[in-house]
Amino acid sequence: MNSTAAVVSPAADAPQGKEQQAAGVGILLQISMLVLSFVLGHVLRRHRFYYLPEASASLLIGLLVGGLANISNTEANIRTWFNFHEEFFFLFLLPPIIFQSGFSLSPKPFFSNFGAIVTFAIFGTFIAAIVTGILVYLGGLTFLMYKLPFVECLMFGALISATDPVTVLSIFQELGTDVNLYALVFGESVLNDAMAISLYRTMSSVRSNTSSGQNFFLIIVQFLETFVGSMSSGVGVGFISALLFKYAALDIENLHNLESCLFVLFPYFSYMLAEGLGLSGIVSILFTGIVMKHYTYSNLSENSQRFASSFFHLISSLAETFVFIYMGFDIAMEEHSWSHIGFIFFSIIFIVIARAANVFSCAYLVNLVRPVNRKIPMKHQKALWYSGLRGAMAFALALQSVHELPEGHGKTIFSTTTAIVVLTVLLIGGSTGTMLERLEVVGDGHNNELLSYEEHHDGYVAPTYEEGASSESNLKTKLMEFHKTATSFTELDKNYLTPFFTSQTDDDDLDFGGSSHQSRRGGFYDL
């Protein structure tokens, strides 16, 4: 018996050893692609080669390696390490990226354009999703494309309305574009992901609900409950963290490790709390990032502040680069349904139309209530329209739809989304630099505007778009903006919230915990 056991045991352990070897090879390939992506991105930035941005390079590396693995009969147990799992994306890769987005927000340009940002991200995303869904449904009725049920068309409209302008933002920063335009694109992208996920989940629940004829008003209420509940959860966790670090006296030298560990854990606590309550973890962790940067960050010791800024920027950069590689590899390896080319072709046209309806209608509404010298110029509207790239969020939701929808429907949506993501990231991302130069929204003039913004604006009053406005008009605009924003949020924050949640002095009240803010890839304007 013992000799038999001795003989059988190695044979039984062989598959496990083979699996561990495959895991090692898979992880080695992933690390190699990450290193190659970072090195290639650095070389491209150093030589100012904007036709192949870093995100596009990462996607191409994934596509190339995935294509080689596909034609070389790579072992299945190695391939499994590159399959795009939406659970892994939503639970591990997306949270640090979204948290860093909120954590790195520079408050002055963000809050000076807050009304416009919310209009584009909330109302505009809703318009884009509905317009896309209706056009796709009408295209099916008129036999232009593959026909889908109306609710599934709205699900497709919701997932494809998620923009990911990482490439555009990195080029904006490199070329030194207008601070207001950067704030609009960045702010919209931060809130847009959360809005798109909430819309998609709402439409998905409507489809799975047996009483499919439920009132449209109830659908809106359901969406608002999810969004507002998630936002409240995130803000609440942020406030709790601020109070903890203010009164727990963790900023002494021998407790810096504990202080840093607790600070890192709070964002994931916020995300998992919202998911556990059936809310949106993305919305929750976004607002947790904003609140923790504003209040909690200033309660940390200097060493912990440096660690927190570097740590979250590091893991968000790693996660974001890995997402594009991961996505490219999976696109090359996944089975796609290319039988409905008409659906792909017309969907691309429809999302261009929907993006235009989003940007130009929202800009019109914003300009209605803004003074003449603060209206959004047409060239900025065109830049906003052009910067609506689709990325990892749309890809992950499309992959999720494969499991939720009938086989033919889900595969068609997934293949269409894949084509749109590759097209927008490679073509639009690569031509962004040329577009900005054609629209004349880059150059030294905008950098000077940024300097004047920093030197002369202490509150949330935005810089003017037109330099030729009279001084009297400028003063009137500043007084109006101060009356609307400073007396509400700024005064509330300065007199009540900041003293209660932080130990900041009056001189630091509007500093929001520091002056160095990093964007999703690279850095935000140091305001």
Side-chain angles (χ1 to χ4, degrees):
M1 292 291 291
N2 292 338
S3 61
T4 305
V7 172
V8 172
S9 180
D13 291 341
Q16 184 177 359
K18 188 79 171 177
E19 190 174 325
Q20 289 177 348
Q21 182 184 8
V25 173
I27 294 173
L28 176 63
L29 284 174
Q30 292 173 353
I31 294 174
S32 301
M33 287 190 290
L34 276 172
V35 172
L36 178 60
S37 177
F38 281 116
V39 171
L40 182 59
H42 170 71
V43 171
L44 292 172
R45 283 199 308 271
R46 186 174 181 179
H47 291 85
R48 293 183 173 273
F49 187 79
Y50 300 122
Y51 297 103
L52 187 63
E54 193 174 342
S56 303
S58 301
L59 183 67
L60 281 177
I61 290 172
L63 284 169
L64 179 62
V65 176
L68 292 175
N70 213 10
I71 63 177
S72 63
N73 295 321
T74 306
E75 294 184 26
N77 50 3
I78 295 179
R79 292 188 184 196
T80 55
W81 283 88
F82 292 93
N83 291 338
F84 194 101
H85 300 285
E86 58 270 23
E87 295 87 0
F88 179 66
F89 172 76
F90 281 111
L91 292 178
F92 296 102
L93 295 179
L94 191 60
I97 297 173
I98 298 297
F99 178 80
Q100 175 65 11
S101 298
F103 192 71
S104 65
L105 278 180
S106 190
K108 291 179 181 179
F110 179 78
F111 283 104
S112 66
N113 292 282
F114 186 72
I117 289 171
V118 170
T119 304
F120 283 111
I122 307 299
F123 183 62
T125 303
F126 182 80
I127 290 177
I130 297 300
V131 169
T132 303
I134 291 175
L135 289 176
V136 169
Y137 182 69
L138 292 177
L141 288 181
T142 55
F143 303 103
L144 287 175
M145 55 200 300
Y146 184 66
K147 184 178 180 182
L148 294 176
F150 184 61
V151 176
E152 294 181 13
C153 291
L154 292 178
M155 289 175 65
F156 174 67
L159 70 88
I160 207 64
S161 64
T163 60
D164 189 10
V166 174
T167 302
V168 175
L169 289 172
S170 64
I171 296 175
F172 276 14
Q173 180 199 352
E174 292 286 337
L175 296 179
T177 190
D178 183 90
V179 65
N180 287 284
L181 177 59
Y182 192 106
L184 287 175
V185 175
F186 183 73
E188 183 205 7
S189 68
V190 167
L191 296 177
N192 168 273
D193 287 346
M195 178 69 180
I197 290 178
S198 300
L199 269 178
Y200 177 83
R201 290 182 177 177
T202 301
M203 297 303 173
S204 179
S205 66
V206 170
R207 179 188 173 277
S208 60
N209 199 326
T210 53
S211 58
S212 55
Q214 61 179 311
N215 195 302
F216 179 75
F217 176 74
L218 295 179
I219 298 175
I220 299 296
V221 170
Q222 178 184 352
F223 165 75
L224 290 176
E225 285 179 352
T226 301
F227 194 86
V228 175
S230 304
M231 181 179 67
S232 303
S233 171
V235 171
V237 171
F239 281 148
I240 291 171
S241 70
L243 291 175
L244 172 67
F245 286 98
K246 179 179 180 180
Y247 293 110
L250 297 174
D251 56 346
I252 57 179
E253 187 171 351
N254 60 339
L255 291 178
H256 286 169
N257 288 341
L258 174 60
E259 185 182 35
S260 300
C261 288
L262 287 174
F263 191 87
V264 169
L265 289 174
F266 265 100
Y268 260 107
F269 175 79
S270 170
Y271 185 89
M272 295 304 173
L273 174 64
E275 290 292 326
L277 294 175
L279 302 171
S280 171
I282 298 302
V283 179
S284 180
I285 199 172
L286 169 65
F287 283 94
T288 298
I290 295 173
V291 173
M292 288 185 72
K293 181 64 176 184
H294 187 356
Y295 300 105
T296 313
Y297 185 83
S298 61
N299 293 331
L300 300 177
S301 62
E302 289 186 10
N303 288 338
S304 295
Q305 286 182 351
R306 285 193 295 268
F307 168 80
S309 297
S310 301
F311 176 78
F312 286 116
H313 178 56
L314 170 66
I315 62 171
S316 67
S317 297
L318 283 171
E320 194 164 76
T321 304
F322 184 71
V323 161
F324 279 96
I325 295 173
Y326 196 29
M327 188 166 56
F329 195 96
D330 194 73
I331 288 172
M333 301 289 290
E334 197 77 32
E335 292 183 7
H336 297 280
S337 174
W338 303 114
S339 57
H340 304 292
I341 300 297
F343 190 93
I344 298 173
F345 176 75
F346 284 105
S347 293
I348 293 173
I349 296 176
F350 292 158
I351 67 167
V352 170
I353 296 172
R355 178 68 181 171
N358 169 357
V359 171
F360 297 116
S361 63
C362 289
Y364 176 76
L365 293 176
V366 170
N367 286 340
L368 281 179
V369 298
R370 280 192 168 187
V372 176
N373 59 333
R374 288 205 58 228
K375 292 185 184 299
I376 303 176
M378 181 54 68
K379 60 183 180 182
H380 286 192
Q381 297 178 35
K382 292 177 181 178
L384 270 169
W385 169 71
Y386 196 83
S387 62
L389 283 72
R390 270 59 178 181
M393 181 65 71
F395 182 80
L397 291 175
L399 192 59
Q400 191 172 321
S401 72
V402 173
H403 308 299
E404 296 179 352
L405 302 179
E407 184 175 351
H409 299 180
K411 282 286 185 182
T412 300
I413 288 177
F414 177 67
S415 299
T416 303
T417 305
T418 297
I420 292 171
V421 168
V422 173
L423 181 69
T424 56
V425 171
L426 295 182
L427 295 186
I428 297 180
S431 60
T432 299
T434 304
M435 178 271 296
L436 292 176
E437 291 173 354
R438 292 280 179 87
L439 292 176
E440 299 178 350
V441 292
V442 295
D444 295 335
H446 300 288
N447 294 332
N448 293 335
E449 181 182 8
L450 178 61
L451 292 174
S452 64
Y453 178 83
E454 166 129 15
E455 291 170 358
H456 301 295
H457 291 267
D458 297 324
Y460 297 141
V461 185
T464 60
Y465 279 110
E466 297 179 6
E467 296 178 356
S470 65
S471 58
E472 181 179 353
S473 177
N474 287 339
L475 178 61
K476 183 178 179 181
T477 302
K478 292 177 182 178
L479 290 175
M480 288 174 61
E481 290 296 321
F482 183 81
H483 177 73
K484 290 180 180 179
T485 58
T487 56
S488 54
F489 179 79
T490 309
E491 291 302 315
L492 174 66
D493 173 67
K494 181 179 179 180
N495 294 330
Y496 300 101
L497 297 181
T498 297
F500 184 75
F501 288 106
T502 74
S503 352
Q504 283 182 266
T505 61
D506 290 341
D507 294 336
D508 298 327
D509 282 344
L510 292 175
D511 234 2
F512 288 80
S515 59
S516 178
H517 302 280
Q518 303 294 326
S519 74
R520 293 185 178 187
R521 187 185 293 268
F524 194 55
Y525 289 102
D526 294 331
L527 295 176

